[in-house]
Amino acid sequence: MQSILSAEAFHFEWLEDFSYDIILLDIQMAELSGIELAKLIREKDKHIQIIFVTAIPDYIGEGYDVDAINYLIKPISEEKLRECLSKAINKKEIQPKSILIEIDGGVHRIYEDSIMYLEIEGHELFIHQEDKTISIRKPLSEMEELLSMDEFIKPHRSYLVALKYIKYIDSKKITLKNRTTILISRGNSKEVQRKFFNYFKRDVK
């Protein structure tokens, strides 16, 4: 647990380290309010658990846009705090799995379900997401250890592909839902098709 005294200080800290799971925000702060800070956080992280703390119940309605899971009205009892944190922890456990990646000296959280595919070129690893691509220097083998490999396939030594984003597979290539095509190396075709077929069967149950 970490305590930070201002919204500005937390925002700076959070941009360097995306590893926070649950945040308690006071709505009334000196310059940047808790609501304004929550909106900035939601631009980059849709899953982090936000709990607002306030002495004025009138502010409660302002939190719906940022999907706050609860509000604590001051003074806060220990029982109410425990109940609220327990709810946040339980909700977090059903959130998509995430991994932490070091980028430019900071730590960033990437949710597995946002990754379409990973591609290695030389020493550079490209993490292709729906809305952006991140470049880091890390071997593909390390990502295999971090990711849930029952959600990904490896059609080629240079690629990991998320099964959920695949639209079509034939003997030579994978076509993703955004029309990106990825070649399947010789000898991998049957295994790739088998894994996709098994994933599809599981998904439609």
Side-chain angles (χ1 to χ4, degrees):
M1 183 175 289
Q2 184 176 0
S3 176
I4 300 176
L5 297 180
S6 74
E8 292 81 6
F10 177 79
H11 189 230
F12 178 80
E13 173 79 16
W14 179 73
L15 288 173
E16 295 295 319
D17 182 356
F18 283 71
S19 63
Y20 295 93
D21 295 312
I22 301 169
I23 306 173
L24 281 82
L25 292 177
D26 197 320
I27 290 180
Q28 293 174 289
M29 289 188 276
E31 295 184 21
L32 191 67
S33 74
I35 296 289
E36 291 168 329
L37 175 58
K39 288 178 179 178
L40 292 173
I41 290 170
R42 279 288 179 252
E43 289 176 4
K44 294 183 177 293
D45 193 327
K46 305 297 183 186
H47 300 292
I48 194 168
Q49 305 299 306
I50 296 175
I51 300 168
F52 282 122
V53 177
T54 182
I56 305 175
D58 293 349
Y59 284 106
I60 288 178
E62 297 185 36
Y64 289 111
D65 290 341
V66 294
D67 194 27
I69 67 164
N70 216 329
Y71 296 83
L72 293 173
I73 307 298
K74 299 176 184 178
I76 304 166
S77 69
E78 182 177 339
E79 180 183 357
K80 188 64 178 176
L81 177 60
R82 287 181 181 275
E83 178 185 321
C84 193
L85 289 174
S86 178
K87 179 181 177 182
I89 291 168
N90 290 338
K91 187 173 181 181
K92 181 191 175 303
E93 288 176 351
I94 61 173
Q95 296 288 349
K97 181 183 174 183
S98 62
I99 58 175
L100 299 178
I101 299 291
E102 289 187 22
I103 303 173
D104 298 328
V107 179
H108 290 248
R109 183 189 299 277
I110 298 176
Y111 289 94
E112 269 197 9
D113 66 354
S114 74
I115 299 173
M116 299 181 69
Y117 67 101
L118 298 93
E119 175 186 13
I120 193 84
E121 288 187 12
H123 297 292
E124 206 77 12
L125 176 69
F126 297 93
I127 303 173
H128 298 277
Q129 298 171 273
E130 288 187 277
D131 58 343
K132 62 180 179 290
T133 296
I134 297 170
S135 171
I136 59 175
R137 295 181 72 84
K138 185 183 287 288
L140 194 61
S141 58
E142 283 192 25
M143 296 302 295
E144 290 181 62
E145 294 176 5
L146 292 174
L147 295 169
S148 303
M149 287 307 295
D150 57 340
E151 303 292 328
F152 290 82
I153 54 174
K154 192 173 185 179
H156 187 282
R157 65 181 182 180
S158 299
Y159 292 92
L160 285 179
V161 181
L163 287 155
K164 66 175 285 187
Y165 287 104
I166 295 175
K167 181 179 181 180
Y168 175 75
I169 286 181
D170 61 29
S171 61
K172 295 183 179 180
K173 68 180 182 300
I174 292 170
T175 302
L176 301 184
K177 293 176 181 178
N178 69 349
R179 299 184 181 179
T180 297
T181 58
I182 296 169
L183 295 178
I184 301 173
S185 63
R186 186 178 299 177
N188 274 6
S189 180
K190 287 185 179 179
E191 176 61 19
V192 166
Q193 291 187 59
R194 182 194 66 79
K195 193 166 184 180
F196 177 64
F197 181 68
N198 288 340
Y199 176 85
F200 179 77
K201 284 199 303 182
R202 182 200 74 181
D203 201 43
V204 297
K205 284 181 180 179

